[in-house]
């Protein structure tokens, strides 16, 4: 009986030693790109809303078929099931008068691939794909390079020639 208890106590001690020996996770100061250093159970002070870029200069595209970003403010433009303010300028019929870029022909093709005389329902909510840009500091770094800007690295084969 005595040896039995001795074994139990010895294994408990061994277990406790193991538990103590676990590597400890270093305590890093909490940081999140959106909330900063405010702990999760506290409400951070909301940052100021970055101003929308409103330079009216069409921006370049980063890849083929990218929906172009909106180069103007869209504050208070109604865009719901009752009205689409974007089309007041961007509809092909309004473009001449408004000076806006008319919506692409692809916006008149429905899901069956048929071209019709009116905007396709799947292209009705413009801001699903087109977004204005804020003049804001990047939250995280980005090293994206457009395909045209990737310089072909000489391969070992071509170097030998
Ligand atoms: C008052 C007229 C007007 C309204 C309303 C308007 N736009 Fe524009 N939009 C323009 C004009 C003009 C341009 C050309 C660049 C410039 O002057 O800003 C343009 C440019 C754009 C471009 C860039 C096109 C390209 O080829 O790069 C996009 C995308 C765009 N608008 C989307 C929208 C969306 C989405 C809405 C609705 C939320 C909207 N616009 C409402 C006049 C308008
Ligand atoms: C499902 C995504 C989607 C929706 C919704 C959408 N677009 Fe587009 N749009 C695109 C893409 C992708 C392009 C670029 C490729 C192309 O021409 O189809 C584009 C191109 C454009 C262009 C540039 C045309 C050109 O000739 O350079 C304008 C302007 C535009 N869209 C306006 C609008 C407006 C206004 C609406 C809402 C009525 C809208 N788009 C809805 C995806 C979308």
């Amino acid at each position: 009986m005595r040896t039995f208890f001795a074994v139990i106590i010895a294994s408990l001690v061994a277990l406790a030693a193991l538990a103590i020996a676990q590597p400890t996770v270093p305590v890093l100061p909490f940081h999140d790109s959106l909330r900063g250093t405010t702990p999760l159970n506290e409400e951070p002070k909301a940052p100021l809303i970055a101003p929308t870029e409103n330079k009216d200069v069409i921006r370049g595209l980063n890849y083929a078929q990218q929906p172009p970003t909106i180069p103007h403010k869209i504050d208070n433009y109604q865009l719901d099931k009752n009205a689409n303010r974007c089309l007041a300028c961007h509809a092909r019929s309004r473009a001449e008068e408004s000076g806006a870029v008319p919506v692409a022909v692809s916006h008149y093709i429905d899901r069956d691939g048929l071209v019709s005389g009116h905007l396709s329902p799947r292209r009705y909510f413009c801001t699903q794909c087109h977004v204005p840009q804020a003049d804001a500091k990047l939250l995280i770094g980005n090293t994206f390079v457009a395909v045209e800007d990737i310089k072909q690295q000489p391969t070992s084969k071509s170097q030998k020639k």
Side-chain angles (χ1 to χ4, degrees):
M1 200 62 184
R2 208 185 258 178
T3 41
F4 175 70
F5 277 124
V7 166
I8 288 197
I9 289 167
S11 42
L12 280 179
V13 169
L15 272 178
L18 257 181
I20 292 167
Q22 288 298 313
T24 45
V25 181
V27 201
L28 288 176
F30 175 78
H31 185 265
D32 177 83
S33 53
L34 281 175
R35 22 187 331 119
T37 52
T38 316
L40 287 175
N41 57 351
E42 281 170 35
E43 198 169 329
K45 201 169 154 264
L48 295 176
I49 294 174
T52 307
E53 231 184 63
N54 195 27
K55 294 183 185 154
D56 288 336
V57 178
I58 285 176
R59 302 187 190 92
L61 302 178
N62 286 316
Y63 55 91
Q65 298 299 311
Q66 181 205 313
T69 52
I70 308 175
H72 56 72
K73 277 187 174 175
I74 58 165
D75 301 355
N76 304 322
Y77 285 171
Q78 192 178 351
L79 179 52
D80 54 27
K81 73 178 177 44
N82 300 318
N84 185 324
R85 183 77 173 84
C86 312
L87 286 177
C89 295
H90 283 282
R92 297 195 85 82
S93 55
R94 303 297 291 273
E96 199 182 334
E97 196 187 321
S98 66
V101 190
V103 290
V105 182
S106 59
H107 296 42
Y108 290 81
I109 303 175
D110 69 12
R111 63 181 179 182
D112 300 318
L114 301 171
V115 185
S116 67
H118 55 84
L119 191 87
S120 169
R122 61 183 182 162
R123 294 289 166 108
Y124 182 83
F125 291 107
C126 318
T127 48
Q128 239 175 289
C129 304
H130 299 281
V131 284
Q133 299 292 292
D135 195 2
K137 214 178 92 205
L138 292 181
L139 291 176
I140 50 167
N142 185 346
T143 55
F144 179 84
V145 179
V147 71
E148 298 85 10
D149 299 335
I150 297 175
K151 303 255 166 15
Q152 183 105 45
Q153 294 293 322
T155 60
S156 50
K157 240 185 188 172
S158 62
Q159 271 172 338
K160 267 186 212 149
K161 275 191 234 160

